[in-house]
Amino acid sequence: MTRQHDRRKVTLKDVAAQVGVSHTTVSNAYIRPGQLSAALREKILAAAQELGYTGPDPAAKQLATGRAGALGFLFSEDLPYAFSDPAMLSVLNGVAKSCDELETDLALISAGSNLRNRTAPVSLGNAAVDGYVLYSVAPDSRCVLMAQQRNVPLVVVDQPRLNGVPYVGIDDRGSAYRAAKTLLELGHRHFGILSLKTAHDGYYGPLTAKRRANIAHSTIAMRLEGYLLALKEANIAPEDVPTWEIPINSEDMGAEGVRHLLNRAQRPTAILAMSDRVAIGAMRTIRRLGLSIPQDISIFGFDDIPKAEAEDLSTIRQPHERKGTEAIRLLSANKGSENVILDTELVLRGSIGPVPT
């Protein structure tokens, strides 16, 4: 039965006195267990449980070891997004597996509020960390500068590119080019593009020339550039390709956005979507309007989330989980500015076909 000291917080010294060892030995039982015999450590932990001692104060532990024992995962979206987006969940799974192997904790830090309210104080949360993974963070996020000022190792996944900071990503431009090229080879000449957000401003509407010239998110800029390069090679001018920008990567946004592409005198026969979630939402609307996929409209996604196969969606497969494991490898190695560009795969399924005749 656990015995509590009367109204006084039990301390490390109380445990040391109970066992008859120094307070340093008790501390080592928690933060340097390899320095004690298994029997002594078990005796100390048993005494701690009996007294109601819950372990060293995290701040004191950090002072003693020089490490916080945790890594930070910083991203631009609101916190619930981390648990709802399949692509991000896969990246997090890779990060979590690597953290588990390193026996370190993981802190999720959302920069969404800092992007929405630029007059509010910047916060990276209260958790002390030994390094940060910056996952697809908006380059204009004030959190990027704050993370750099923490004087701990950083690794970027997807964006932004930072001088001297290790990077893990894919060839977004080349991958998008392959998607558009595939549809061109099937005879398509009338395209529409469903773009993810180009800036963190909540905009929903046509991707205008002005917005196209000022894209803040490099992954979006590269995907758009890849699409348009392939189309330009086929003598299709960028201004002849309707592009609709949506602020949230979701099925609902894809379902709504595609209506604007279809409501044109020259309806696209092929749609390039910058994510599978957007493409899947668009497919639902296309079918609700009485059109067939791919007989009337072909659609190509990006990511290859688990649902893509069930929806028979052609897409670009990204190695999401490996992005996470590579990021932690680079972070733990702390060897400078190594960049890792991972391969993607063209996955062809039933959502694309020859141009309607």
Side-chain angles (χ1 to χ4, degrees), residues 273-285:
M274 288 195 186
S275 83
D276 288 347
R277 295 187 71 183
V278 169
I280 290 168
M283 292 168 74
R284 294 173 185 170
T285 290

Side-chain angles (χ1 to χ4, degrees), residues 201-343:
D201 58 2
Y203 175 78
Y204 175 77
L207 181 55
T208 62
K210 182 177 180 180
R211 290 185 69 83
R212 185 174 293 173
N214 294 281
I215 296 177
H217 299 274
S218 59
T219 54
I220 305 308
M222 290 297 99
R223 290 181 196 181
L224 184 62
E225 189 175 318
Y227 292 149
L228 297 180
L229 177 61
L231 300 183
K232 186 177 180 180
E233 290 177 354
N235 296 315
I236 301 172
E239 56 268 23
D240 294 333
V241 183
T243 302
W244 196 264
E245 180 180 346
I246 59 177
I248 301 172
N249 179 24
S250 71
E251 291 82 359
D252 288 344
M253 283 283 99
E256 183 62 30
V258 77
R259 294 181 184 274
H260 299 278
L261 297 182
L262 300 178
N263 189 26
R264 299 175 59 85
Q266 179 60 66
R267 190 179 71 203
T269 64
I271 292 174
L272 292 158
M274 288 195 186
S275 83
D276 288 347
R277 295 187 71 183
V278 169
I280 290 168
M283 292 168 74
R284 294 173 185 170
T285 290
I286 290 169
R287 289 174 175 138
R288 285 184 190 131
L289 293 175
L291 300 170
S292 297
I293 300 171
Q295 290 80 6
D296 296 313
I297 299 177
S298 290
I299 186 161
F300 213 110
F302 206 111
D303 285 332
D304 198 31
I305 63 175
K307 211 170 187 179
E309 183 175 8
E311 297 286 344
D312 208 17
L313 175 64
S314 294
T315 188
I316 298 293
R317 177 176 294 157
Q318 287 203 65
H320 294 292
E321 186 170 311
R322 192 175 165 206
K323 282 184 178 180
T325 57
E326 285 293 318
I328 299 303
R329 180 184 69 80
L330 293 177
L331 199 60
S332 59
N334 193 20
K335 291 183 179 179
S337 56
E338 179 182 349
N339 293 332
V340 176
I341 306 299
L342 301 173
D343 291 333

Side-chain angles (χ1 to χ4, degrees), residues 16-256:
Q18 176 83 350
V19 181
V21 296
S22 71
H23 68 273
T24 301
T25 300
V26 175
S27 177
N28 285 340
Y30 288 91
I31 64 177
R32 300 185 184 92
Q35 295 189 11
L36 304 181
S37 68
L40 178 56
R41 183 168 188 264
E42 285 301 317
K43 184 177 180 181
I44 291 170
L45 294 179
Q49 182 178 10
E50 180 188 355
L51 293 171
Y53 178 65
T54 57
D57 180 83
K61 179 179 177 181
Q62 185 176 3
L63 285 173
T65 64
R67 294 180 55 80
L71 297 175
F73 186 90
L74 176 65
F75 57 100
S76 287
E77 307 298 337
D78 292 330
L79 193 57
Y81 187 85
F83 301 94
S84 64
D85 182 69
M88 187 171 175
L89 280 173
S90 293
V91 175
L92 272 172
N93 195 43
V95 168
K97 285 181 178 179
S98 295
C99 284
D100 191 53
E101 291 174 1
L102 294 172
E103 298 184 345
T104 190
D105 293 328
L106 180 65
L108 298 185
I109 304 165
S110 166
S113 60
N114 291 295
L115 287 165
R116 286 193 306 274
N117 186 358
R118 294 183 176 275
T119 62
V122 181
S123 172
L124 292 185
N126 297 319
V129 298
D130 298 312
Y132 288 101
V133 175
L134 308 183
Y135 175 70
S136 199
V137 178
D140 57 348
S141 170
R142 296 172 295 164
C143 291
V144 172
L145 179 59
M146 177 165 281
Q148 290 176 299
Q149 292 174 339
R150 288 287 179 90
N151 196 32
V152 295
L154 307 177
V155 171
V156 170
V157 175
D158 288 345
Q159 66 176 14
R161 293 291 190 101
L162 301 173
N163 290 333
V165 175
Y167 171 84
V168 180
I170 63 168
D171 179 4
D172 283 282
R173 183 172 72 168
S175 299
Y177 176 92
R178 292 169 68 194
K181 192 75 171 177
T182 300
L183 290 168
L184 286 165
E185 290 169 351
L186 289 170
H188 293 277
R189 292 299 180 270
H190 299 292
F191 287 80
I193 297 174
L194 287 171
S195 172
L196 297 176
K197 62 186 176 188
T198 64
H200 209 95
D201 58 2
Y203 175 78
Y204 175 77
L207 181 55
T208 62
K210 182 177 180 180
R211 290 185 69 83
R212 185 174 293 173
N214 294 281
I215 296 177
H217 299 274
S218 59
T219 54
I220 305 308
M222 290 297 99
R223 290 181 196 181
L224 184 62
E225 189 175 318
Y227 292 149
L228 297 180
L229 177 61
L231 300 183
K232 186 177 180 180
E233 290 177 354
N235 296 315
I236 301 172
E239 56 268 23
D240 294 333
V241 183
T243 302
W244 196 264
E245 180 180 346
I246 59 177
I248 301 172
N249 179 24
S250 71
E251 291 82 359
D252 288 344
M253 283 283 99
E256 183 62 30

